[in-house]
Amino acid sequence: MIISFFEEFPTKKNLEKINFVHWPTKLYIAAKSLKQFNKIKSEIKNRNITDFVYWPALEINEGYWISPFSNRAALKRVFNELKDTKTSIMLDLELPTYKNPKLYLTQLFNFSRNKSLIKKFIKNHHGKIYLAEYYPEGKRKEKFLQFLGLHYKSNKTKIIKMVYHSMHHFNKEFITNEIKNGKKEFGNDFLVAYGTIAPGIGGWEPKLSLSQLEDDLRIAEEIGIKEVIIFRLGGLDRKYLKVLKKFIP
């Protein structure tokens, strides 16, 4: 099982935590542009990183996350800069509720066009595509997410379900079954994100306990999930590292 990391705030201090990692890993880096991402990537010297994945983060007034309610011009800007590249990319598919709910009104007219724009990008992009989605809650929720443009079925994407136990009190049996169902449907293209071990853009996200992280990783290992992504690198310390090392081949 590969254990990878998100980094939403790629400061020097946060990125230095990659020096704790002595196993093959991936790093998902949030950036405002492809140019910024490439600059950050070029400054990281760690041979254990097998892939750098560009995580486009829009401006707050544009929606921050990617969805059909994001500012249309911002979506076009992100997708145009990736045209004809093979850059590995992760679209963080979330609604703008907490950052700019006004977009529900200003982008309502663009909803269908934006949804088609995202779908077209997923279909045509030449590089690897990862889609970070809300945690699983059954088939009905998945269909609703699909309607909202927050879930796209494609044989060329990898689906990342954000199972953040520090923020949501999931029933162990339920979440285990949901992860099993995801694995059954998408095979090795189904990935799981765990956390949070450091706050995100909200600033309030609580830290995941060591025991819960170990339980979460055990579930993924037993089900046969090929990659787990930890949110986020900047929170990595010796205590969390000790837990992670139990699952490194």
Side-chain angles (χ1 to χ4, degrees):
M1 182 169 69
I2 298 172
I3 297 180
S4 304
F5 297 90
F6 292 130
E7 186 43 69
E8 190 168 14
F9 312 112
T11 62
K12 182 180 179 181
K13 181 180 178 181
N14 287 331
L15 293 174
E16 282 178 349
K17 296 292 184 73
I18 198 66
N19 294 324
F20 282 130
V21 180
H22 299 291
W23 61 83
T25 189
K26 296 178 185 175
L27 189 55
Y28 297 72
I29 301 172
K32 297 296 184 182
S33 68
L34 180 60
K35 182 179 179 181
Q36 184 187 51
F37 167 75
N38 285 331
K39 183 178 185 297
I40 294 168
K41 181 175 72 170
S42 69
E43 294 171 351
I44 300 174
K45 310 299 181 185
N46 188 312
R47 294 181 180 179
N48 293 308
I49 302 175
T50 61
D51 196 13
F52 291 89
V53 182
Y54 173 32
W55 165 8
L58 307 180
E59 298 294 342
I60 296 296
N61 67 316
E62 296 173 334
Y64 193 73
W65 299 285
I66 301 293
S67 82
F69 290 104
S70 301
N71 178 273
R72 183 168 177 79
L75 291 177
K76 285 184 173 182
R77 181 183 71 241
V78 168
F79 297 155
N80 284 338
E81 69 177 358
L82 287 158
K83 191 176 181 180
D84 299 324
T85 76
K86 293 185 178 181
T87 303
S88 296
I89 184 169
M90 184 193 78
L91 301 183
D92 190 353
L93 300 172
E94 300 185 55
L95 295 170
T97 307
Y98 298 111
K99 287 299 172 185
N100 193 353
K102 290 181 180 179
L103 288 166
Y104 287 123
L105 295 175
T106 62
Q107 295 302 310
L108 183 60
F109 177 75
N110 289 324
F111 176 83
S112 294
R113 294 198 301 160
N114 284 350
K115 187 175 176 181
S116 295
L117 189 65
I118 297 169
K119 190 174 182 179
K120 183 179 178 181
F121 171 77
I122 291 171
K123 179 181 178 181
N124 295 331
H125 183 56
H126 299 300
K128 296 176 185 176
I129 302 178
Y130 300 81
L131 303 178
E133 303 179 355
Y134 290 117
Y135 53 85
E137 277 196 298
K139 285 292 181 183
R140 285 187 179 181
K141 180 68 177 289
E142 187 174 285
K143 287 182 179 179
F144 186 57
L145 291 178
Q146 199 167 355
F147 167 75
L148 288 175
L150 304 174
H151 174 73
Y152 297 85
K153 291 195 174 184
S154 169
N155 59 11
K156 62 178 292 187
T157 62
K158 292 185 182 295
I159 304 297
I160 303 170
K161 284 295 184 180
M162 296 180 282
V163 184
Y164 294 161
H165 258 118
S166 68
M167 298 168 62
H168 307 282
H169 298 291
F170 299 114
N171 176 282
K172 184 175 181 179
E173 182 181 359
F174 171 78
I175 207 65
T176 299
N177 288 334
E178 287 298 312
I179 292 175
K180 283 182 179 178
N181 290 336
K183 170 71 173 178
K184 183 178 180 181
E185 182 175 1
F186 299 104
N188 291 339
D189 291 329
F190 184 79
L191 315 180
V192 180
Y194 288 141
T196 61
I197 67 170
I201 190 65
W204 57 268
E205 295 87 343
K207 291 180 69 173
L208 185 69
S209 70
L210 298 173
S211 60
Q212 185 64 69
L213 175 60
E214 185 165 351
D215 286 346
D216 288 344
L217 289 168
R218 187 74 63 197
I219 290 171
E221 183 181 61
E222 290 175 353
I223 294 173
I225 299 300
K226 294 300 181 182
E227 182 182 353
V228 166
I229 306 135
I230 305 298
F231 185 96
R232 59 183 173 83
L233 179 66
L236 188 61
D237 59 23
R238 297 189 185 281
K239 291 180 180 180
Y240 282 123
L241 187 64
K242 187 176 180 180
V243 174
L244 297 182
K245 283 184 174 179
K246 295 179 181 180
F247 299 89
I248 301 301

